[in-house]
Structures are given as C-alpha cells and as structure tokens.
Amino acid sequence: MTNDPLSRARTGAARATALAFVVLLLCGLTLAVAYANKARCAGGPVDEYGRSEVFDIRKDRDVCYSDIQFLWQGREIDNHVFPYVDGAITDDGVLIGGAVEYPVLSGLLMWVGAIGVDNDADFLWHSALLLAPFALLTAWLLARVAGPAALLWATGPPLVFYAFHNWELPVVCTAVAAVAVLALPSRLSVRTRGIIAAVLLALGFCLKIYPGIFVLPLAFYVLTEGAPRGTRRWRELDVAGAAQTLLAAMATVAAVNLPFVLAGVEGWRASVTFQRLRQADITTNSIWYWGHQAIFGRAAETTQTWHDFVAVASPLLMAAAFALALWLGTRRWTPAAPYPWVGVSAAMLAGFLLFHKVHSPQYTLWIIPFLVLLEVPWSMVAAYLVADAAVGIGVFRYFWTMGQGEDYDTLEGVVQFGVWLRSALLLALFFVFLRARMRGTRAPEPIGPPPRALRPVA
C-alpha cells in the first residue's frame, strides 16, 4: 500500500464516489417501495371528481394515506387552478380559489404535479416523479458529506413512510445542499459559499419555512470565516460577508414571493392566515394536544382559552429555543473548533419540532439528515425511529379504529407513547446536536515521513 498522500487522496475520492453511487441506487429502490406503499390507496374506479374509491376505505386502515392524494380535492388542484392568484380564506378558515396552506414554491409544485392528470392516482404518480429526484440528490449529498451514515436517509423507514406523503423532499434537499456547499471541498471563499448556502436556505423557506431559521447560524459562521476562535481579532471578522449572507437570503425570499403578492395578495396571505388559525387538535400530533389531555383529562374539551394560550406559548418557546441554541453555539466556538453552525441549526430545528403546535408525521424527514450529518449516538437514532413508527403508523390505525366504533385505548396509548418519547428525544437532541461533530470529519493526516520514535537518554 502506497504512502503517497496524492495516491491516498485519489483512492479515498474513488471510494467516496463508489459509496455515493451505492447509496443513490439503494435510495432509488426505497423510493419505489415508498411509492408502492402510498399507491395502495390509489387507482381502480374513481368518482366524478377523480377521487379513487378505495382511498377512503384504505387510507387509515391500511396506513397508506397521503396529503398528496387527499389534497387532490379541496385546493382546486383537480381543476388546475394556478395557486394563490385568485385565492382567499373564508372567515371560518376554509381556503378557496386556489389558495393552499403552504409557501409559494410548494404550491407551485402541487400545480405542476397536476398538469395533464384528471384523477388522484395519476396526481400521486406525477407528484412522485416530480419529488423523487430531490430525494436522490439528498442521498448523494449526504453520502459525499457524511459517508455510510447516509444509508439512514436512503434506506430508513421514514423515507418509505413519508417520501410521497407530502411535498417535503424539495425542502429537505435545499437544507442538505446548503450544508454540502460549506462542508465539501471547494476553492470558493467562505463568504461566497455562505451566500450560496443562504440562497438555498431561502428557497427552502419558500417551500416549507423551516430552513429559513438556519440563516442566522450560517451568518455567524460566515462572520467568523469558519475559523476557530482567537485566530482573528474582532475587527478582522467578516462583517460584510455576514451581512451579505443575510441580505442574499432576504432578497431571494422577496424575489420568489413578490410575483405572487402582486398577482394576488389575498391568496398569498391566505396561506399565512391558515397556519396562524390552525389549532392544536387530535390531527396535529403535538405536545399541546396530548399535554392538554394529560393535564385536564381525556374527556376534557380543548377550549378557546387553551388554543389562545398555545397561540402565544408555542412561538415564544420556539423563539427561546432558537436564542438558546445560538448562544450555546457561541460557547462551542473555541480555539479548537469553528462555530458549529450545522449543530446549532439542528438544535433550532429540534426546538421548532418540540414546541410547534403542529407536528405532522412527515416532519421526521426534516430531522433525519441531521441525524446523518452529526455524530448522534445510534441508540438515540434507533429510539427516534421507534417513536416515529409509533406515531406514523399508530395514528392512522387509531383514527380507523375510532371510525369503526371499536375500542381504541391500546392504539391511543401507542400514539401517546410515540409522541412523548419523540418529545423527550427532541429535548435531549437539542443539546446533543450542539456538542456533536460532523460525521466524516477526521483529523488531517500528516504529510511526510512519520516522526522517529524518541528513545530515552542513557
């Protein structure tokens, strides 16, 4: 075996590329299984609105429900109405006229997926074709950055459960791509790469909001030029680069949203209003609904007072979690380590998922890449997958059992187990993320001959 550093580097690069191709192939196979899973609810006879007749029969019983298929009706997707432009929201919170509850790029993807189709089965198929490349690109990038740990994304149960549950794959891809821009070797400056990453995160914000919160730790990383603490004086910090990073993100969000605002501000604003009005109910899988049950009893009704409390407490706690993560991140910026912007971003996401009033099962896809990128104990990863399965499978069987009028105590217990285990793990992960190293990072190998062993002086 050669000791030439250049040969070792070439060998390492070839192995990394081969691994990435293997991960990519396995991810493709997993996506095929994921589509087959959701397609059990589609196809066969359809009603006059293009809805598969088997959907309502199987969606909860067989755990093949997807928002993609469900939202074929109710958002004017089946009528091929361009989103937002003529939309609005009624006084009782119903979206009309092409308005959808997601940011504009997700709404645009929904519209594109419906082009040329007239039923929910074909809409699911076209949407899967549209979304799959984002999952594959995510797998490739994770493999290049984190190595074999990328198999968790490519072959894990969450991708089977949720790849085609909603429109999550593009937003996950933008977040991972932003990390990859800074993590993979490049001749570009930290400032330039930070600006590119900020644009990607801003595009993610225009898909599903959450990547936007990562811009703040990214800006601090650019400010410090990715260097350990003490290597530069305070006046040498890249203030201009950090400002440009923030401005790039804001400009991207403005550029993407402005056409929709000008074309139909009411339809654009309806998505924001819908999320603001949404309440923590049995469909949200959050600590707020099940916490109410634990505090006031299973039979207690969730009053408007409780909903008003959640509407204030939830954003305040999320903001506090963000601030704490940013502050603790500065404590991890030491003479031995750069500012851990990826770990801080992951902690902020954990705080978001823990305290938000809605925690849909597919949000697991948001956090899986951070479990890949950061050296989180595999025991915690396994526990998170167990909690996710308890919610992601249990909640639909729970709904079906209730609808059948059968005893649902056991399934309710399964769901609560999943919700509370997941919440405990998110709280623990908040701190674990901040201390975790990036996977795939190792101390650089010394170049040149090894030092001679020292011998004791006689």
Side-chain angles (χ1 to χ4, degrees):
M1 181 177 179
T2 180
N3 288 322
D4 177 38
L6 183 58
S7 297
R8 290 201 305 271
R10 287 174 176 170
T11 301
R15 288 176 177 172
T17 301
L19 172 66
F21 274 111
V22 171
V23 170
L24 195 67
L25 175 62
L26 292 174
C27 184
L29 295 174
T30 303
L31 290 171
V33 175
Y35 174 75
N37 177 46
K38 296 301 185 183
R40 292 179 297 132
C41 274
V46 298
D47 62 20
E48 58 183 312
Y49 304 106
R51 167 75 74 208
S52 297
E53 292 180 1
V54 298
F55 179 70
D56 287 328
I57 299 171
R58 295 180 178 174
K59 61 183 176 67
D60 293 332
R61 185 194 69 188
D62 297 348
V63 195
C64 55
Y65 169 89
S66 72
D67 289 335
I68 294 175
Q69 194 177 354
F70 177 75
L71 291 177
W72 167 251
Q73 291 179 279
R75 300 295 184 270
E76 299 291 346
I77 295 172
D78 53 332
N79 294 322
H80 305 283
V81 174
F82 193 81
Y84 306 104
V85 175
D86 299 312
I89 188 168
T90 65
D91 292 338
D92 53 353
V94 177
L95 294 168
I96 58 173
V100 297
E101 57 265 52
Y102 308 123
V104 294
L105 291 184
S106 286
L108 196 59
L109 284 172
M110 295 164 72
W111 177 76
V112 171
I115 293 175
V117 304
D118 60 6
N119 62 77
D120 62 349
D122 289 343
F123 179 51
L124 177 64
W125 170 239
H126 282 214
S127 297
L129 292 177
L130 187 65
L131 296 172
F134 293 101
L136 294 170
L137 179 56
T138 300
W140 175 269
L141 292 173
L142 288 173
R144 297 309 301 263
V145 174
L151 291 169
L152 173 63
W153 167 264
T155 64
L159 198 62
V160 175
F161 294 159
Y162 312 123
F164 307 121
H165 187 96
N166 197 290
W167 293 265
E168 309 300 333
L169 295 177
V171 66
V172 174
C173 187
T174 62
V176 172
V179 173
V181 165
L182 285 158
L184 293 175
S186 173
R187 294 182 179 180
L188 298 176
S189 67
V190 171
R191 180 192 291 191
T192 300
R193 286 182 286 154
I195 291 171
I196 294 170
V199 171
L200 289 167
L201 293 176
L203 292 174
F205 178 88
C206 297
L207 284 159
K208 283 293 179 77
I209 301 296
Y210 81 89
I213 64 178
F214 305 155
V215 174
L216 286 176
L218 171 64
F220 196 92
Y221 183 84
V222 173
L223 176 71
T224 60
E225 297 185 270
R229 191 169 196 159
T231 58
R232 289 169 176 78
R233 298 177 181 177
W234 283 102
R235 65 174 178 269
E236 295 175 334
L237 295 177
D238 191 7
V239 176
Q244 289 171 16
T245 299
L246 295 172
L247 289 172
M250 291 187 286
T252 301
V253 171
V256 171
N257 282 272
L258 187 59
F260 291 91
V261 174
L262 295 177
V265 67
E266 289 301 321
W268 173 82
R269 188 163 49 202
S271 63
V272 179
T273 304
F274 181 92
Q275 295 297 343
R276 179 174 58 82
L277 294 177
R278 189 172 181 185
Q279 298 179 338
D281 58 27
I282 197 172
T283 68
T284 58
N285 306 294
S286 69
I287 62 171
W288 300 106
Y289 175 78
W290 292 109
H292 181 278
Q293 303 289 86
I295 295 170
F296 299 105
R298 180 172 171 180
E301 182 181 355
T302 48
T303 64
Q304 189 58 45
T305 301
W306 176 260
H307 292 306
D308 292 341
F309 165 74
V310 172
V312 174
S314 173
L316 285 179
L317 286 170
M318 286 191 292
F322 298 164
L324 180 60
L326 291 165
W327 179 72
L328 290 175
T330 63
R331 301 292 300 273
R332 302 297 298 169
W333 178 42
T334 67
Y339 182 78
W341 87 274
V342 177
V344 172
S345 298
M348 294 172 77
L349 178 59
F352 179 92
L353 294 175
L354 178 60
F355 294 122
H356 196 266
K357 60 184 176 181
V358 178
H359 194 141
S360 297
Q362 72 271 12
Y363 292 177
T364 298
L365 292 179
W366 300 2
I367 202 168
I368 288 294
F370 287 111
L371 299 178
V372 171
L373 290 166
L374 297 166
E375 290 186 343
V376 176
W378 287 110
S379 58
M380 293 188 73
V381 174
Y384 201 92
L385 295 180
V386 169
D388 174 66
V391 176
I393 297 174
V395 73
F396 294 106
R397 293 291 300 174
Y398 174 49
F399 292 157
W400 181 77
T401 304
M402 282 196 296
Q404 296 299 114
E406 299 178 5
D407 179 71
Y408 53 81
D409 286 354
T410 300
L411 285 167
E412 184 177 279
V414 169
V415 174
Q416 291 205 47
F417 164 78
V419 168
W420 294 117
L421 176 59
R422 183 180 64 189
S423 300
L425 288 166
L426 286 171
L427 182 60
L429 284 168
F430 179 91
F431 298 99
V432 170
F433 282 145
L434 289 165
R435 300 183 65 86
R437 292 197 324 170
M438 291 277 288
R439 295 192 196 274
T441 59
R442 296 291 182 268
E445 294 185 12
I447 297 177
R452 291 181 299 175
L454 296 178
R455 296 180 180 178
V457 178

